[in-house]
């Protein structure tokens, strides 16, 4: 059994990014979350021309005086309709935000500082050279690298890429994920279980979690605890996906076939047990195919809370690495425990938690469970709180680490200065 940090380190050392040759031109609306496979450069200066940041009058600053000035208005420069003449001494051109600063002018006096007197504008005082003007190229020069190869694209990049015409940047592909939910007791979630049967929920939960990362679910199947059936299903999954998630059967019971099946299929197991509660019987393996592709396989415990936890702690970073990113080895934030939690000897706990942000920082409260199968505590949680292995209990007020989740539900920031 290895601890959580060691297991994470192994995942980081083992999962490889997609080969650069797999990069594809990716429409901007699909590109968020992807890793750029090329440098994106400015195709022009940014801004591309000197432009006004105000509505007002383009002037020669030397024409304006602290005591005021009277200048003859000889035309206008509006956004998209530049003035094509030159602003001569003693002249001004009406100008609007975003419009080209006309030749001859070197500043803009905002309209609030002027009054109109026929074709003359009366200025209330002086303006400095460059006042209310964005210089051409002040943000970037044509040819500058704006977003470097290897960057993970965020929503913040999208507008910039569109600005420079990079509407389909070359990106590494999103990982393809196959999900296999194993268990003879499992029935389709649309049906009514008979005694001893359980609605299959990990397929839905893991699919949602995978898609939330931007990765693609290529298949999601439910299989009975039958070695041959699981082997055939896993073989097909390995042929069509970069990452395979097998839920259930990862432990040592008579009907737990994941370890044997992975061995049958040539998957090399890097760990098969973690000192973690929940999530102990977690398997992580890889298979290098002839073409150099490295498939990643996780055997996650079927217990829905365990599956959810293992996904956030191990599968999510593995997916990020498979996107081509370099995520933090262990992302977590300092927090304070709001209520005491019993420790567990030899196993770190990752407990579904309600995290709240207050004036004094992040607080964590175990979202409460009535047993290891209690899925209601996951639904209430907006994060995890980590309780180190040990004896006795960790009291209220103790310092702990927490992992906020992007659950798509209430997040910690919605509790900012409340609760
Ligand atoms: P296993 O990891 O196969 O030993 O399963 C542990 C527990 O999780 C058992 O109570 C299973 O019935 C339950 N379980 C396994 N897979 C699923 C699933 N896909 N959906 C819901 N519950 C499951
Ligand atoms: Mg089972």
């Amino acid at each position: 059994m290895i601890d959580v940090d060691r297991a994470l380190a192994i995942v980081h050392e083992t999962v490889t990014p997609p080969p650069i040759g797999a990069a594809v031109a990716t429409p901007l609306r699909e590109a968020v979350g992807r890793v750029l496979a090329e440098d994106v450069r400015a195709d022009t200066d940014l801004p591309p021309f000197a432009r006004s940041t105000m509505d007002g009058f383009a002037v020669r600053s030397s024409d304006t005086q602290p005591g005021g000035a009277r200048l003859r208005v000889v035309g206008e420069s509006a956004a998209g309709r530049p003035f094509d003449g030159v602003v001569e001494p003693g002249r001004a051109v009406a100008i609007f935000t975003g419009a080209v600063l006309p030749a001859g002018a070197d500043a803009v006096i905002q309209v609030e500082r002027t009054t109109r007197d026929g074709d003359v504008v009366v200025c209330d005082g002086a303006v400095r050279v460059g006042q209310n003007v964005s210089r051409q190229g002040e943000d970037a020069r044509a040819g500058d690298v704006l977003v470097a190869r290897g960057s993970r694209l965020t929503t913040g990049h999208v507008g910039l890429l569109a600005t420079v015409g990079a509407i389909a940047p070359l990106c590494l592909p999103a990982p393809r994920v196959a999900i296999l939910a194993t268990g003879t007791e499992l029935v389709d979630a649309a049906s009514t279980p008979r005694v001893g049967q359980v609605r299959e929920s990990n397929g839905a939960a893991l699919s949602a979690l995978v898609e939330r990362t931007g990765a693609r679910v290529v298949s999601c199947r439910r299989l009975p605890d039958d070695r041959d059936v699981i082997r055939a299903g896993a073989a097909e999954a390995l042929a069509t996906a970069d990452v395979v998630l097998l839920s259930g059967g990862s432990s040592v019971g008579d009907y737990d076939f994941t370890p044997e099946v992975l061995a049958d299929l040539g998957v090399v197991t890097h760990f098969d047990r973690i000192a973690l509660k929940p999530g102990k019987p977690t398997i992580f393996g890889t298979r290098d195919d002839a073409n150099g592709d490295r498939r990643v396989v996780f055997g996650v415990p079927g217990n829905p809370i365990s599956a959810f936890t293992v996904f956030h702690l191990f599968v999510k970073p593995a997916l990020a690495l498979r996107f081509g990113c370099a995520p933090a080895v262990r992302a977590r934030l300092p927090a304070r425990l709001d209520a005491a939690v019993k420790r567990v000897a030899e196993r770190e706990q990752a407990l579904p938690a309600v995290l709240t942000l207050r004036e004094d920082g992040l607080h964590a409260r175990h979202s409460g469970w009535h047993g290891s199968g209690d899925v209601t505590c996951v639904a209430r949680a907006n994060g995890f709180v980590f309780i180190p292995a040990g004896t006795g209990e960790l009291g209220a007020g103790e310092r702990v680490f927490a992992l906020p989740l992007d659950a798509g539900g209430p997040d910690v920031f919605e509790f900012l200065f409340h609760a």
Side-chain angles (χ1 to χ4, degrees), residues 45 57 131 194 207 221 229 232 247 330 341 354 411 415:
D45 290 342
F57 294 87
Q131 199 170 339
R194 293 197 307 273
S207 295
R221 299 177 59 197
V229 173
S247 124
R330 186 147 192 202
V341 179
V354 177
D411 71 34
F415 295 104

Side-chain angles (χ1 to χ4, degrees), residues 223-381:
L223 304 176
D225 293 315
D226 176 310
R227 181 172 172 160
D228 293 338
V229 173
I230 297 174
R231 189 198 293 113
E236 192 186 319
L238 279 162
T240 53
D242 306 302
V243 177
V244 177
L245 305 181
L246 276 139
S247 124
S250 63
S251 194
V252 293
D254 287 352
Y255 298 98
D256 289 337
F257 294 120
T258 301
E260 299 165 41
V261 161
L262 296 185
D264 289 350
L265 295 173
V267 173
V268 176
T269 296
H270 303 288
F271 58 76
D272 60 6
R273 220 167 296 184
I274 306 173
L276 173 67
K277 184 186 164 118
K280 180 173 156 190
T282 294
I283 303 172
F284 168 63
T286 53
R287 188 175 83 179
D288 290 339
D289 290 344
N291 61 5
D293 270 2
R294 174 168 289 183
R295 307 297 197 208
V296 172
V297 184
F298 281 95
V300 305
N303 174 311
I305 303 173
S306 310
F308 186 80
T309 305
V310 167
F311 182 90
H312 281 291
L313 264 60
F314 301 100
V315 181
K316 221 173 148 183
L319 288 175
L321 290 159
R322 189 57 225 195
F323 264 102
C325 309
V329 172
R330 186 147 192 202
R332 53 188 181 172
L333 297 171
R336 270 184 198 284
L337 208 52
D338 270 351
V341 179
K342 206 169 165 326
R343 303 226 271 179
V344 171
E346 266 124 50
R347 279 204 280 166
E348 177 175 347
Q349 295 177 84
L351 302 175
V354 177
L355 307 182
T356 50
L357 197 55
R358 310 217 188 108
E359 284 88 341
D360 63 346
L362 200 57
H363 287 247
R365 179 164 45 81
H366 179 201
S367 69
W369 66 11
H370 310 101
S372 64
D374 178 8
V375 288
T376 65
C377 67
V378 170
R380 275 190 297 272

